[in-house]
Amino acid sequence: MDTPAHAAAETAALARATRRRVYASTMIGNVVEYYDFTLYGTLAAVLAKLFFPSADPMVALFSTYAGVSLSYFIRPLGALLFGPLADRRGRRGVLILTLSLMSVGTAGIGLLPTYAAIGAAAPVLLLFSRVLQGLGASVEYTTASQFMLEHEPGSRRRNYLAGLMNATCSVGSLLGSAVAFTLTVTMPASAFESWGWRIPFLLAIPMAFIGFYIRNRLDETPEFEEMKRQIDAAEAKQTPLRDAVRLYWRDMLKAIGLGAGQRIGSYTIQAYFVTALITAGFPTSLSLLASMLTYVVGPLPSIWGGVLADRYGARLPLLVGYGLFVVLTVPTFMAIGSKSIVLATAAVVAFTVINNLVAAPLNIAYVLSFPPEVRSSAAALNFNIGTSLIGSTAGLVAVWLHDLTGSDVSFGWYMTAACAVSALVAIFALPASVDYREPDWATVPRPGRRPAAAPHS
């Protein structure tokens, strides 16, 4: 017969196993999302030749980056579709759907015929694949973050967990750039441009199977189940999208403004630095190595920023990070144009450390600024509107400014201005989610009434 101590030990072991599965399930989708994002940006120059042939290489490259922007412009639509679905039906089912769409979109690129084979239909199919990937990624990050945090409501290490979530972005990006780099240096250039470029995109298929296996073995979050129980008991009708926009638009604007600088920074790291380094005259292999190094160092400041936010409050890493960005962003792009690969690499690595330092409290602001009954809808909207309008357009702005001025320093000033705005939001309008606490279900109002905001730190 089991003793109470033995039963308690088994319960604790089961809880640890569940927690590990939850962490793995959220991280695998993040890895797939950022693997694709970085892979597409890293191979932009190759894809430009294969799908957007043009006498002007800048036009072809601009068209390729338009594919990145398209996958982001479609994300608010995905937020409108899948955010409310996650609020009504649960986070777990939506996470399985998002992984499916992202995987089909990524692997589909590896199967597409090129412009030389089918003409104008090739870029159309490429952009369609980006649309599928964008729809899947639209709520992946925010829903996966909710899934993790709602399994540990009220945790004192919520920023640490959010930082851990962001660290997997670097893992996915590192995997994407490492695969691309390995193939480019081990294959003849003609073979890589003929068929080798397809391999990295097709690798999304086995990653997806692993993700499906893990996510299918998980239960819904306890916080969502309790929320649904309360709403069903009250026979209340859920209108999460309407309530999110009507009651929480101010909080969404705060989150968008708070993350503006970091959204541009993330895009720059994952999709533009390689292009900037190559355009500055550095060899492709060295440019890819410099990019890969940013992903190697990326996880540590993500986690460190979360630890600092849990211990000292979110304003500390936010103001330190954005303050450093205001001072160092322009010098970063000056270093890229210096013709010194050592100086350029040091600059992009320092840029990455700063960018990831602020990620954890931003993730909390994106997700936990809203009560559970509208959380998925509100988080998906604020994150995707900010990412689409501010983050995804960064590549187009960078290419345009470089073509206009002949230098990437002008783009550095553009990002500096965005970081200054984000710093002001951190000082004067920090979202209440910084002091998020486990909800008292006896006092949470029914949908349609706005609960009292938690105090700022």
Side-chain angles (χ1 to χ4, degrees), residues 407-424:
S407 170
D408 283 311
V409 173
S410 54
F411 176 69
W413 284 113
Y414 170 77
M415 179 174 165
T416 298
C419 289
V421 171
S422 295
L424 291 174

Side-chain angles (χ1 to χ4, degrees), residues 58 63 80 91 127 182 186 242 248 296 316 330 337 341 344 365 397:
M58 188 61 68
S63 299
L80 293 174
R91 324 311 193 195
L127 295 179
T182 301
T186 59
R242 185 183 70 181
Y248 298 95
V296 171
L316 176 64
V330 170
I341 189 62
V397 171

Side-chain angles (χ1 to χ4, degrees), residues 77-137:
L77 175 59
L80 293 174
L81 293 173
F82 303 137
L85 184 64
D87 282 327
R88 291 193 182 100
R89 300 294 179 87
R91 324 311 193 195
R92 175 181 169 273
V94 169
L95 285 175
I96 294 173
L97 176 60
T98 58
L99 184 60
S100 302
L101 290 171
M102 288 192 303
S103 303
V104 170
T106 303
I109 294 177
L111 299 172
L112 292 180
T114 63
Y115 188 93
I118 61 172
V124 172
L125 291 174
L126 177 67
L127 295 179
F128 178 71
S129 295
R130 298 304 299 167
V131 167
L132 288 180
Q133 197 278 339
L135 286 174

Side-chain angles (χ1 to χ4, degrees), residues 290-368:
S291 177
M292 288 168 60
L293 188 56
T294 66
Y295 305 135
V296 171
V297 303
L300 183 59
S302 293
I303 297 171
W304 185 42
V307 172
L308 290 177
D310 283 333
R311 184 171 298 177
Y312 301 109
R315 278 195 178 92
L316 176 64
L318 287 170
L319 292 180
V320 169
Y322 280 130
L324 289 173
F325 260 151
V326 168
V327 174
L328 297 178
T329 296
V330 170
T332 294
F333 287 96
M334 293 174 66
I336 290 175
S338 68
K339 307 302 181 182
S340 168
I341 189 62
V342 174
L343 185 59
T345 301
V348 299
V349 168
F351 185 100
T352 302
V353 170
I354 298 169
N355 192 74
N356 287 8
L357 183 70
V358 303
L362 285 179
N363 196 7
I364 296 297
Y366 294 141
V367 173
L368 296 185

Side-chain angles (χ1 to χ4, degrees), residues 201-220:
F201 291 101
L202 294 176
L203 288 178
I205 296 175
M207 288 193 290
F209 279 121
I210 295 172
F212 291 139
Y213 174 76
I214 297 173
R215 289 185 173 182
N216 275 312
R217 298 178 65 207
L218 291 171
D219 295 324
E220 188 53 75

